[in-house]
Amino acid sequence: MKVLVIGGGGREHALAWRLAQASRVSRVYVAPGNGGTVSDERYDCIDITEPAALREWAIQEKISLTVVGPEAPLAAGVVDEFRAHGLRIFGPTQAAAQLESSKAFSKAFMKRHKIPTAEYEAFTDAAAAHAYIDAKGAPIVVKADGLAAGKGVVVAMTAQEAHEAVDFMLVDNKFGVSHNDGGARVVIEEFLQGEEASFIVLCDGKNVTALATSQDHKRLLDGDEGPNTGGMGAYSPAPVVTAEVHARAMREIILPTIRGMEKDGIPYTGFLYAGLMIDATGHPKTLEFNCRMGDPETQPIMMRLKSDLFEVFWHATDGTLDQVELQWDRRVALGVVMAAHGYPLSPRKGDRITGIPAEAPDAVVFHAGTTMQDGDLKTSGGRVLCVTVLADSVKLAQQRAYEVAARVRFDGAQYRKDIGFRAVHARNAPQA
Ligand code: AMP
Ligand code: GLY
């Protein structure tokens, strides 16, 4: 069977890597892929991104199964396009992907279906937004309504910061957010305290299978300082998700979401990623939904997955996920993102990368913003690589990951030195 992975980041590299090990898979195509997939004979890279053209190519090539990595093609309706032509594809439809692509949609959905989340209001009028901030006070969170590659959120510790965020989101659009129909809109919501975790499940429209838990590190700098990014590193499992928190997240968030979407006439298929904020009493609330896997969470999760990923997707696209029980490596997986100079605001491209060690059973360097240029590997995006390892403890995983990262060289490389720090001190026994 030939499979296609849509996307070109670290998440897609990790999905392609795991799919290439599946027994029924003869060939893995990645569209468009990156410098890592193009220079590896296990994959073929296809330089097509437009949904209809990709669908045409998939028909010609007799692709048996397609998996979508990033949110943009989902929001553009690639799943609808493939399905309309009888192709098997795993992901949410354009309508279902609104859970991620529109904060206003997902917040209204959660309110309607009583899914725990921060209190909020949505605004198109700047004056009304400013008045709301004055009434509520800081800390408060301002979010752009539209896809912003993880950058459209300002957690304002002062009212001043919140007012500024409203101005540049509604008035100046400084982040370059692609706004939804009806123009610029912001969601302003209650600041939630606690510890975050990524809770990702597979859905076939009805049945749900949870992936191993994970935790991402969204801030650029050690100790969770500096600006928000797409994610600077992740590890699995996340000790903050105890068996009890896991059960609550399924019962109070995931299942009501799947049932709610079904009830609203938009059955949900694909990965569903709930970003959770878990308070001191173990009560999880939804920070956001993503309609895809996390990046970089996917990299450690794929390192731990022992089940045949192709068979899992086959069941997920047949509506028989209830027959799947995922098997996980009991070890800890940990991924350290190496980012380009200037990331996240203005990542520099074109720096030459050297020293990436060959893949080992316990260490894989997944590529993201890389490209092959005249036989040289060069940086071509913000998050460049994700050094991902397996080890018996978080501490050992850190040691191993940083040992590998130290060998990789490119000018301006930045990476956090503390990935997994919360788990090192955690006393909880995590759920898978
Ligand atoms: P989002 O893209 O909505 O997940 O937001 C990005 C990051 O902003 C999250 O991972 C949190 O760290 C932070 N954040 C978002 N919403 C809130 C909130 N209501 N309270 C506290 N922090 C938040
Ligand atoms: N790592 C966070 C995300 O993929 O949204």
Side-chain angles (χ1 to χ4, degrees):
M1 303 262 197
K2 295 176 173 180
V3 299
L4 168 64
V5 177
I6 298 179
R11 164 185 46 214
E12 291 76 33
H13 191 178
L15 289 170
W17 173 80
R18 193 41 99 200
L19 281 167
Q21 298 163 27
S23 59
R24 286 204 287 159
V25 169
S26 59
R27 203 70 209 140
V28 178
Y29 297 87
V30 192
N34 54 41
T37 54
V38 83
S39 54
D40 188 324
E41 61 189 20
R42 286 173 289 186
Y43 320 106
D44 282 311
C45 293
I46 307 302
D47 200 13
I48 307 175
T49 47
E50 200 274 313
L54 209 47
R55 176 262 300 161
E56 195 58 43
W57 176 87
I59 292 172
Q60 263 171 29
E61 282 297 321
K62 301 197 168 51
I63 298 295
S64 302
L65 170 80
T66 300
V67 181
V68 192
E71 59 275 24
L74 294 167
V78 73
V79 168
D80 310 69
E81 176 74 35
F82 272 54
R83 282 197 193 148
H85 291 82
L87 292 166
R88 185 185 284 257
I89 185 165
F90 185 62
T93 58
Q94 185 173 40
Q98 287 180 96
L99 271 185
E100 172 170 4
S101 63
S102 167
K103 298 268 185 207
F105 174 92
S106 71
K107 292 298 285 190
F109 173 87
M110 286 190 266
K111 200 180 228 177
R112 195 162 65 243
H113 294 285
K114 305 195 169 47
I115 294 161
T117 188
E119 256 189 66
Y120 81 104
E121 292 280 343
F123 299 93
T124 49
D125 176 51
H130 288 305
Y132 185 77
I133 291 166
D134 286 334
K136 292 283 174 183
I140 194 159
V141 181
V142 184
K143 302 185 175 187
D145 181 44
L147 291 179
K151 290 176 290 189
V153 175
V154 171
V155 179
M157 297 319 282
T158 64
Q160 170 75 13
E161 277 176 83
H163 288 301
E164 283 168 16
V166 164
D167 282 339
F168 69 63
M169 284 182 195
L170 278 185
V171 187
D172 307 333
N173 194 14
K174 210 162 96 183
F175 280 147
V177 174
S178 56
H179 287 292
N180 292 309
D181 291 350
R185 192 183 308 165
V186 295
V187 165
I188 303 184
E189 67 177 38
E190 170 199 3
F191 171 77
L192 297 177
Q193 241 159 344
E195 186 171 341
E196 289 180 54
S198 306
F199 199 92
I200 311 175
V201 302
L202 295 146
C203 311
D204 65 7
K206 237 187 192 72
N207 305 295
V208 179
T209 303
L211 295 177
T213 62
S214 57
Q215 195 173 54
D216 179 20
H217 299 59
K218 292 229 168 87
R219 302 294 197 97
L220 182 70
L221 306 173
D222 285 10
D224 290 339
E225 303 280 339
N228 254 320
T229 70
M232 292 300 290
Y235 65 97
S236 169
V240 65
V241 185
T242 58
E244 198 180 319
V245 172
H246 197 280
R248 286 190 74 164
M250 284 298 275
R251 192 173 65 235
E252 295 168 16
I253 295 170
I254 300 294
L255 294 175
T257 300
I258 302 305
R259 303 284 170 265
M261 291 295 278
E262 212 180 342
K263 224 192 259 165
D264 291 353
I266 317 174
Y268 195 92
T269 53
F271 291 108
L272 179 65
Y273 167 151
L276 304 181
M277 184 69 90
I278 300 154
D279 74 11
T281 67
H283 180 89
K285 283 191 180 175
T286 319
L287 280 177
E288 61 164 348
F289 283 121
N290 293 317
C291 57
R292 51 171 175 82
M293 279 205 74
D295 190 339
E297 291 93 324
T298 306
Q299 293 84 316
I301 289 175
M302 286 301 121
M303 285 287 277
R304 288 190 63 214
L305 180 70
K306 296 209 299 199
S307 310
D308 184 312
L309 186 58
F310 177 81
E311 302 305 329
V312 173
F313 286 143
W314 200 260
H315 279 289
T317 46
D318 260 351
T320 54
L321 262 183
D322 51 332
Q323 295 171 24
V324 171
E325 199 174 327
L326 299 176
Q327 304 294 323
W328 301 102
D329 194 307
R330 301 183 72 83
R331 287 174 291 175
V332 170
L334 185 140
V336 175
V337 169
M338 301 186 73
H341 174 88
Y343 180 73
L345 270 187
S346 48
R348 187 170 70 200
K349 296 181 182 177
D351 289 308
R352 187 160 165 261
I353 308 163
T354 58
I356 298 180
E359 188 173 311
D362 68 339
V364 183
V365 178
F366 293 110
H367 290 234
T370 69
T371 186
M372 283 303 283
Q373 245 173 35
D374 310 321
D376 278 337
L377 187 68
K378 299 263 177 79
T379 64
S380 65
R383 293 186 292 170
V384 177
L385 300 165
C386 183
V387 174
T388 314
V389 304
L390 278 170
D392 287 325
S393 70
V394 180
K395 266 216 149 108
L396 290 170
Q398 287 180 326
Q399 269 172 28
R400 180 83 172 105
Y402 288 116
E403 187 184 283
V404 175
R407 288 154 68 180
V408 178
R409 298 282 152 125
F410 56 92
D411 278 348
Q414 14 170 12
Y415 57 95
R416 281 179 61 160
K417 308 294 187 301
D418 66 345
I419 300 304
F421 76 96
R422 287 182 204 283
V424 172
H425 305 292
R427 267 179 268 129
N428 300 329
Q431 175 80 9

